């Protein structure tokens, strides 16, 4: 059998490349946190139906995953944040007490982040921070579901107020940059004619 006959007997090979519009907007930032200067990596992925933010100090490990669904009611002008743990316990494996406190702090962190994203969404919609956007008839809220991965080192799992606020601010800066990039249209990174 010649090389030509052998090549024609092989199944055809295909190369698939996804459309750029079907890929999530992804950004990564690294910051140092606290007096110990703990390196913390923040990862953002904006999907069409989800927002994913990972904050890790564990060499890229996700840690615990939390899901936050935001619902607004135009009936009583309220906003509800439903937070649940998807993966992990939300508690570091260092043992000892304080596990419930760790989970509570992490849930407060996820809620604070969701609140800031909702305020950003309202600002981008051109309405006041207290305006209820209501969401769609299918029950979706003002933002897509927010998935947050928190992988904090055991000694940093109970955050100081300064570290807590620094993480929320860094995550929001990353989200704002991702939002701007995803809403910029097809001209991101392109130059105009000279």
């Amino acid at each position: 059998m010649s090389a030509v006959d052998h090549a024609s007997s092989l199944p055809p090979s295909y190369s698939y490349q996804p459309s750029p519009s079907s890929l999530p907007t992804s950004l990564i930032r690294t910051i140092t946190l606290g007096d110990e200067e703990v390196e913390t990596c923040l990862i953002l992925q904006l999907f069409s139906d989800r927002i994913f933010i990972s904050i890790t100090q564990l060499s890229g490990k996700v840690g615990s995953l939390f899901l936050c669904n935001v619902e607004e009611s135009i009936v009583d002008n309220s906003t509800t944040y439903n937070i649940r743990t998807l993966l992990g316990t939300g508690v570091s494996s260092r043992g000892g007490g304080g596990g419930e406190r760790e989970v509570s702090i992490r849930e407060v962190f996820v809620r604070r982040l969701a609140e800031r994203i909702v305020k950003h969404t309202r600002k981008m919609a051109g309405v006041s921070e207290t305006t209820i956007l209501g969401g769609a008839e299918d029950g979706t809220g003002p933002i897509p579901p927010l998935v947050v991965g928190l992988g904090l080192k055991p000694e940093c799992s109970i955050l100081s107020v300064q570290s807590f606020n620094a993480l929320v601010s860094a995550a929001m800066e990353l989200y704002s940059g991702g939002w701007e990039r995803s809403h910029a249209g097809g001209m991101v990174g392109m130059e105009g004619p000279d």
Side-chain angles (χ1 to χ4, degrees), residues 13-118:
S13 65
Y14 298 99
S15 175
Y16 297 102
Q17 188 166 358
S19 165
S21 64
S22 68
L23 298 174
T25 299
S26 300
L27 296 175
I28 299 173
R29 297 265 158 69
T30 301
I31 63 170
T32 54
L33 190 64
D35 295 334
E36 302 86 28
E37 296 189 4
V38 177
E39 189 171 280
T40 306
C41 181
L42 292 91
I43 301 167
L44 168 75
Q45 290 192 298
L46 295 176
F47 295 90
S48 61
D49 64 342
R50 298 269 187 280
I51 301 168
F52 175 74
I53 298 175
S54 174
I55 300 169
T56 184
Q57 299 169 337
L58 305 174
S59 302
K61 294 178 185 174
V62 174
S64 298
L65 277 180
F66 296 89
L67 173 67
C68 181
N69 289 304
V70 181
E71 300 169 1
E72 292 185 327
S73 172
I74 57 174
V75 174
D76 64 357
N77 204 31
S78 66
T79 303
T80 305
Y81 298 86
N82 298 310
I83 301 167
R84 64 186 173 114
T85 304
L86 296 178
L87 180 70
T89 61
V91 180
S92 70
S93 59
R94 68 184 149 101
E100 288 180 21
R101 183 169 184 251
E102 279 186 55
V103 172
S104 297
I105 288 173
R106 290 167 189 245
E107 288 178 355
V108 168
F109 178 84
V110 172
R111 179 182 168 133
R112 176 73 54 88
L113 191 54
E115 288 172 340
R116 297 270 307 266
I117 292 172
V118 168

